[in-house]
Amino acid sequence: ITKEKLSYDEAAPSRILNIAKILEKQHNVFVIAQKAANVKGKNVYEIPKLGEDFLANQIFKIMVFFVSFYLMITKKINAFVIREYYYIPMLYPFAKLFGVKLLYDMHCFRYKELEVEEKRLKSILIKPIEIMSHKLAANILAISNGIIEDLPNNLRKKTIFLPNGINLEEFNNIDSDERIPKKYNIPNSKPIVGFIGNWMPWVDVLTFLEASKYVKNATFGVVGEPYTSKSLNYFDEAYPNVIFTGRIKHEDAVKLLKLMDICVLPYKKAYIVKHLSVRKTLEYLAAGKPIIMSDSDTADKQFLKENENAVYYKGENPRDLAAKIMNLLGNKKLIKNLQINNKNLAKNFKNRYESGAWS
């Protein structure tokens, strides 16, 4: 059960689709999701969404509930894997009555994310419901160890670590495609410093963009969309040294990754970054890319050794990031070492993450 539109081009819906694909080997699987044009299937129940305002969101939730209840009765469902916490208390009384397990696919503490987004009232309102969901779930599927660490001891016992996995070979064997630079207007006259991912509030893309003002011997590239009211046209005008592709197909993103000389992992100094999946880092490793990342408290720091796998910059400091980029571009030996080390490091994660929920 999810509010997402099904697609293989984004992490959240592709995780859902791949969990379903794995489960289909031994079970009948039904997917309830928002209506989309990308993925169809006989066991996919698509729910239309009437808009993005508060009323439309509540109507959508109610429709998802009734479809879930219908399937619970008619298809004799044994278990639901639920991505959004609020469906758990909605379904729990009926799940209890019919002996159905509710598994929470936990990707965050939403009330903590809302604090970072400065939506404090909403955070206060949803916190008790979210905590209740953790308790009511039969099991919790956590995408990161950071999430597990922040759960109460009694809930850790029923929590299973199920990371966002990746197909490492897809990034290890990226074919060159001369059409890609032309398609996205990427010049080949300078090294490319890139970031791939959507701009969540705790992802510090602004520092990355500001750093572009101080680096004249490289082109910056951002693959993804901002979660702000400002359009890509605004950013195009404000940062002329940055190429913005917007949200693109996964296949194109992988090919763009091949063109990048340095990949950046920019995170704010926010507590919740420890809860994030390391999927993006694994993609960079598998592609053998030199990494520059902020010194924020992310899970990546547990295995990315400074000057062996990554160069660290002071978080939320664009001048320091720019300096680290220029220093690395001028150090061909370090670039080569990072490339080799990261290719090798990616192999250590092959079994652990390729057996996870691919995304």
Side-chain angles (χ1 to χ4, degrees):
I1 301 173
T2 182
K3 68 176 184 180
E4 301 285 347
K5 293 181 178 179
L6 297 182
S7 167
Y8 284 103
D9 292 331
E10 295 184 57
S14 64
R15 173 182 173 88
I16 294 162
L17 289 168
N18 283 300
I19 288 177
K21 188 184 297 183
I22 293 168
L23 292 175
E24 282 173 350
K25 295 176 182 179
Q26 297 181 344
H27 306 279
N28 290 324
V29 177
F30 304 88
V31 178
I32 303 170
Q34 186 180 163
K35 187 176 180 64
N38 296 343
V39 179
K40 303 293 182 183
K42 64 178 182 179
N43 289 340
V44 176
Y45 288 76
E46 295 184 305
I47 313 298
K49 197 172 183 184
L50 305 177
E52 295 299 329
D53 57 75
F54 177 80
L55 181 59
N57 284 325
Q58 304 319 305
I59 292 173
F60 178 79
K61 290 176 185 176
I62 293 169
M63 293 172 68
V64 169
F65 166 77
F66 278 115
V67 172
S68 303
F69 182 71
Y70 167 78
L71 290 178
M72 187 186 300
I73 303 301
T74 61
K75 303 297 183 181
K76 297 181 180 179
I77 301 295
N78 299 111
F80 283 110
V81 179
I82 300 172
R83 181 166 176 86
E84 287 79 32
Y85 69 90
Y86 40 78
Y87 291 123
I88 294 176
M90 291 172 71
L91 288 168
Y92 181 79
F94 305 98
K96 187 75 171 176
L97 181 63
F98 293 103
V100 178
K101 286 188 174 181
L102 303 179
L103 286 70
Y104 178 35
D105 188 29
M106 186 174 180
H107 53 286
C108 68
F109 291 88
R110 183 59 186 142
Y111 71 90
K112 294 183 179 181
E113 290 185 347
L114 288 169
E115 291 174 359
V116 176
E117 296 175 38
E118 297 185 349
K119 298 177 181 178
R120 294 182 177 83
L121 178 58
K122 187 175 181 179
S123 173
I124 292 169
L125 292 175
I126 74 161
K127 181 177 179 179
I129 303 172
E130 187 171 358
I131 291 174
M132 181 198 305
S133 300
H134 301 162
K135 295 176 180 178
L136 295 180
N139 290 101
I140 296 172
L141 311 178
I143 66 164
S144 71
N145 282 316
I147 287 177
I148 297 174
E149 289 171 5
D150 282 358
L151 286 170
N153 288 332
N154 62 317
L155 296 184
R156 292 180 195 173
K157 295 175 183 178
K158 66 175 184 180
T159 300
I160 301 166
F161 177 47
L162 186 65
N164 278 342
I166 64 167
N167 182 349
L168 294 174
E169 292 304 316
E170 178 184 21
F171 293 87
N172 191 35
N173 300 311
I174 308 172
D175 294 327
S176 297
D177 189 339
E178 61 184 20
R179 296 170 298 177
I180 291 296
K182 295 178 182 177
K183 183 176 181 179
Y184 296 105
N185 298 315
I186 298 174
N188 57 11
S189 57
K190 297 180 182 180
I192 300 171
V193 180
F195 165 78
I196 299 178
N198 290 323
W199 316 3
M200 307 303 287
W202 40 90
V203 179
D204 194 16
V205 177
L206 186 58
T207 289
F208 178 76
L209 299 180
E210 286 294 315
S212 71
K213 296 178 178 179
Y214 308 111
V215 180
K216 304 302 180 184
N217 62 333
T219 298
F220 283 52
V222 177
V223 180
E225 289 187 345
Y227 280 73
T228 69
S229 58
K230 295 175 181 176
S231 67
L232 282 179
N233 288 335
Y234 165 83
F235 290 102
D236 266 327
E237 294 177 7
Y239 300 99
N241 193 33
V242 183
I243 304 296
F244 297 93
T245 68
R247 187 173 294 175
I248 63 176
K249 290 184 177 181
H250 176 71
E251 180 183 358
D252 282 6
V254 173
K255 290 177 179 177
L256 277 173
L257 178 59
K258 182 178 179 66
L259 299 176
M260 294 177 182
D261 297 277
I262 295 174
C263 291
V264 177
L265 291 169
Y267 294 109
K268 292 182 180 178
K269 291 182 176 294
Y271 177 77
I272 63 167
V273 297
K274 67 176 290 191
H275 301 149
L276 301 179
S277 162
V278 296
R279 178 185 57 88
K280 187 60 58 187
T281 305
L282 296 184
E283 292 175 356
Y284 291 171
L285 291 177
K289 295 300 175 180
I291 296 171
I292 298 180
M293 67 178 295
S294 64
D295 58 0
S296 306
D297 187 24
T298 62
D300 317 70
K301 292 175 71 175
Q302 297 175 8
F303 54 85
L304 292 181
K305 296 181 180 179
E306 190 165 12
N307 294 324
E308 288 187 26
N309 308 106
V311 173
Y312 287 82
Y313 73 92
K314 296 176 183 177
E316 303 181 35
N317 187 327
R319 286 185 178 275
D320 190 56
L321 173 56
K324 296 297 168 56
I325 290 170
M326 289 186 288
N327 289 342
L328 183 55
L329 287 173
N331 192 336
K332 303 301 181 185
K333 181 178 180 180
L334 179 56
I335 286 179
K336 188 65 176 177
N337 288 339
L338 292 174
Q339 290 171 336
I340 294 170
N341 292 343
N342 288 348
K343 281 271 190 180
N344 291 333
L345 182 59
K347 296 174 185 176
N348 295 342
F349 292 92
K350 182 177 176 64
N351 291 333
R352 184 180 184 185
Y353 282 85
E354 287 194 339
S355 61
W358 286 7
S359 58

